[in-house]
Amino acid sequence: MGSAPPLSSSSQRRRVGPIGVVLLVMAVLLILGVAGYFVLPLLGIGKATQAAITTSDLQTTVNYAGMDITLVNAQQAANFIDDPQTHSDGMLRLHVQATNKNKKAAVLIYPTIAHLLLPGGNELAPVYASDYTAVAPGETRSNTVDFVVPAATKVNQLTLLLGSAAEARLNIPLQPHADMGKYAAKTSDVNKKTSYLSLDYLVTQVTTQMSLDGQQAPKGMRYLSVNLKIGNPLMQPVIAGSPFDYLRVKSGDTSIAPVQATIPLNFASQVKDQAGSAVFLIPQDVTTVTLVLGSKNTDGFDPGTVNIAL
């Protein structure tokens, strides 16, 4: 038998097939991609740059849901590179400080409670807020709230609507030191007397406010707090019952029951100046009310009334 012919040098080389070529190309592309991801940003290539920022000082404070909200300033730029939702054709950022005046922690959900009113009447919800953690009682927390706003829009043409659609909204012009006096709590001395169930009632003060115990009033409404001092001149105790049954405020033909009350159910004989209070929800545009003390059932006693200017 003859011996096998010797292999040529070319046949001894390992040939790279089509699959090998594809794998080689993929490996090279992967290496280049990883290198580009880490190296190019270090060289400033392909990295987003922050556009010029214009800052407008505001320093406006208003109380919302028992929290002092201060609009520190407004900033405008084509983009904000630290905002993951930024656009490149116009952004507005509000720097906000919130101080919690309530007795419990609170969370401000800015996409729900903060909207920008544009000159044409459209409302914009924010696209980003930097912090959603709870604000503890007495704590002050800073936050940034970003909106997509056309770059040509002037800050002083905008209004922040603070409050959800179901709440009594606060309209805050984005102007330096905007006057928020119409939303401030207002306390007035009354010092008027009436009687009911042989008890003496003195209405000492009333307070109107937009929030109570961390709760913003419903849309179109505000809270009315009535402070009283009650005395029993009789030689026997008097059981007045629940103030939710006999205490009302009237505005026109509308009778309004209290949402809170701390008036005692009974009064010892000859007690004087026993303190109590009641809170009502009334329309924001009401300027006078009548406090009415009288049971809906016939109890043989004439109702007591006090007219109150707000």
Side-chain angles (χ1 to χ4, degrees):
M1 295 179 62
S3 60
L7 295 174
S8 66
S9 60
S10 60
S11 63
Q12 290 177 341
R13 298 192 189 101
R14 177 178 293 178
R15 295 184 178 181
V16 179
I19 296 178
V21 172
V22 171
L23 292 175
L24 180 61
V25 171
M26 291 179 64
V28 171
L29 291 176
L30 179 62
I31 293 171
L32 292 176
V34 172
Y37 181 83
F38 289 102
V39 175
L40 293 181
L42 297 177
L43 300 176
I45 301 174
K47 184 178 180 180
T49 58
Q50 176 60 57
I53 299 175
T54 301
T55 301
S56 300
D57 194 45
L58 298 176
Q59 301 300 332
T60 298
T61 300
V62 69
N63 188 278
Y64 164 77
M67 304 182 73
D68 283 346
I69 307 296
T70 299
L71 304 186
V72 180
N73 61 48
Q75 293 185 317
Q76 279 186 296
N79 67 336
F80 290 118
I81 60 174
D82 58 349
D83 179 345
Q85 305 298 327
T86 189
H87 287 217
S88 60
D89 55 354
M91 297 289 295
L92 182 137
R93 170 170 290 178
L94 291 177
H95 287 263
V96 181
Q97 284 186 345
T99 301
N100 190 354
K101 300 290 187 177
N102 299 305
K103 296 180 180 180
K104 58 183 179 180
V107 178
L108 295 171
I109 308 299
Y110 287 100
T112 300
I113 67 166
H115 291 76
L116 272 187
L117 181 64
L118 299 181
N122 291 331
E123 293 183 19
L124 298 177
V127 295
Y128 176 72
S130 61
D131 189 4
Y132 288 104
T133 56
V135 185
E139 181 185 8
T140 297
R141 182 74 57 81
S142 296
N143 207 334
T144 57
V145 186
D146 293 353
F147 301 83
V148 178
V149 177
T153 306
K154 295 182 179 179
V155 171
N156 60 11
Q157 296 177 325
L158 301 171
T159 299
L160 179 68
L161 306 179
L162 189 58
S164 73
E167 294 177 329
R169 274 180 161 180
L170 312 178
N171 296 355
I172 310 173
L174 297 191
Q175 299 173 5
H177 306 282
D179 184 6
M180 295 288 100
K182 64 181 178 179
Y183 299 123
K186 177 185 176 184
T187 298
S188 303
D189 293 329
V190 179
N191 294 319
K192 292 183 178 181
K193 295 180 179 180
T194 190
S195 62
Y196 174 63
L197 296 176
S198 299
L199 299 173
D200 297 326
Y201 288 82
L202 172 65
V203 179
T204 57
Q205 286 184 330
V206 294
T207 299
T208 55
Q209 56 202 70
M210 302 300 292
S211 65
L212 181 72
D213 297 337
Q215 180 67 51
Q216 189 74 359
K219 181 179 180 180
M221 308 295 283
R222 59 178 170 164
Y223 291 100
L224 168 66
S225 300
V226 180
N227 293 331
L228 305 102
K229 288 184 178 180
I230 306 154
N232 178 11
L234 303 179
M235 298 297 294
Q236 61 190 34
V238 173
I239 300 175
S242 170
F244 294 97
D245 293 333
Y246 68 82
L247 193 62
R248 298 289 186 270
V249 292
K250 289 193 69 176
S251 173
D253 295 329
T254 303
S255 182
I256 303 168
V259 294
Q260 288 185 12
T262 61
I263 299 172
L265 300 179
N266 54 73
F267 299 86
S269 63
Q270 296 190 313
V271 70
K272 295 181 179 180
D273 295 336
Q274 191 153 354
S277 65
V279 180
F280 305 84
L281 269 173
I282 63 171
Q284 290 182 24
D285 58 356
V286 167
T287 57
T288 60
V289 296
T290 300
L291 182 71
V292 179
L293 299 98
S295 173
K296 292 182 292 185
N297 302 319
T298 303
D299 54 16
F301 291 89
D302 293 331
T305 60
V306 174
N307 294 323
I308 301 171
L310 304 177

